[in-house]
Amino acid sequence: MQTKAEQAFQILKERIMDGTYGPGHRLVIDQLVRTYQISSVPWRESLRRLEAEGWVEMVPNVGALVRTFDTDAWQKGLSLLARIGGYATALSAPRLTEDDLETARSLNRQMGEALAAFDPARFGRLNREFHELLASRAGDDRLVGMVHNEWARLEVIRKSAFWYAPGRAEASLAEHDDLIRLIESAADADTIESAARQHELRTVEAVTRHEAGLHRDPV
């Protein structure tokens, strides 16, 4: 059975992730007590935990605010995910079933459809589902949980900070197919981990180059 502090933590995290409490929203303990009928102590504990996980920042003379993310935060988050996600995918690969891989192919096809329809939100959701699926059978619940949490954080960042690199989405679809083929061919763990990691890092590099170009002084 969940403690009150755990309940408070889950409520706040879910509300932040679904956008109810958006970036910059002030989390006032008295209001939370009245809204959810949970006393103040669990809310204080949950806010400290959310601050430690990077979801909330404590501002002097203001209180707890939902963090406002930017492209730099997204780049750092995806760089971290490249490492833990790549490792989880390598561990998961031998345990993925034919149905898992067919689902991954279907998700990648749907991503292509979303791209053609100029629907970046759907593209992003499907991309997350694709990668979480490939990492889901790592056999390490803590690692899989870390991957899930980092994808959740990136989802919030994506909503609050626009990022875009021309041509990168199309390239990522081809890389997804390559990754599925590596898993199907029973490639060694190091090869799969490197491919999954480099896939994410190429996105970071593409966005970094694009951002640099946008801010370059005209000649």
Side-chain angles (χ1 to χ4, degrees):
M1 183 175 180
Q2 282 187 325
T3 65
K4 292 294 185 181
E6 184 66 25
Q7 290 178 33
F9 173 79
Q10 291 297 333
I11 287 170
L12 287 181
K13 190 170 182 179
E14 288 173 7
R15 298 299 182 273
I16 292 170
M17 288 170 57
D18 69 16
T20 301
Y21 301 146
H25 181 90
R26 186 181 176 204
L27 297 167
V28 180
I29 289 178
D30 287 347
Q31 291 178 350
L32 294 170
V33 170
R34 290 193 297 270
T35 301
Y36 298 103
Q37 303 301 305
I38 297 175
S39 65
S40 60
V41 173
W43 292 115
R44 290 192 181 93
E45 292 180 15
S46 68
L47 289 173
R48 285 195 293 268
R49 184 174 170 188
L50 288 165
E51 181 185 23
E53 291 193 6
W55 294 98
V56 166
E57 55 185 336
M58 307 303 292
V59 179
N61 302 318
V62 175
L65 300 180
V66 178
R67 280 195 62 194
T68 299
F69 297 101
D70 55 20
T71 305
D72 181 62
W74 176 84
Q75 291 167 338
K76 290 176 180 176
L78 191 56
S79 295
L80 172 62
L81 188 58
R83 287 159 177 79
I84 61 174
Y87 180 52
T89 300
L91 292 178
S92 183
R95 303 182 180 95
L96 291 169
T97 66
E98 291 184 9
D99 285 345
D100 290 332
L101 295 178
E102 184 53 42
T103 298
R105 287 193 192 89
S106 175
L107 290 169
N108 205 37
R109 286 193 295 269
Q110 292 175 61
M111 287 175 65
E113 293 166 2
L115 186 61
F118 302 101
D119 189 347
R122 182 166 180 258
F123 184 96
R125 289 193 300 271
L126 292 166
N127 183 58
R128 172 183 173 181
E129 191 174 345
F130 175 90
H131 286 289
E132 287 206 58
L133 170 62
L134 293 190
S136 64
R137 299 189 184 276
D140 183 333
D141 290 343
R142 184 179 179 189
L143 176 61
V144 172
M146 290 171 64
V147 171
H148 172 77
N149 287 337
E150 202 56 40
W151 272 113
R153 192 190 312 277
L154 286 173
E155 183 73 8
V156 173
I157 295 173
R158 186 180 60 79
K159 290 176 181 176
S160 61
F162 178 77
W163 59 268
Y164 176 67
R168 179 57 200 154
E170 292 90 340
S172 72
L173 297 178
E175 291 168 13
H176 286 173
D177 285 333
D178 290 341
L179 186 55
I180 292 171
R181 282 193 287 270
L182 282 175
I183 293 170
E184 278 187 317
S185 68
D188 63 86
D190 287 345
T191 298
I192 292 172
E193 181 177 354
S194 178
R197 184 175 64 250
Q198 290 303 317
H199 166 68
E200 303 296 4
L201 292 178
R202 287 189 191 100
T203 300
V204 175
E205 292 164 0
V207 171
T208 300
R209 286 195 303 269
H210 182 60
E211 288 284 311
L214 290 175
H215 295 99
R216 186 178 298 125
D217 292 335
V219 177

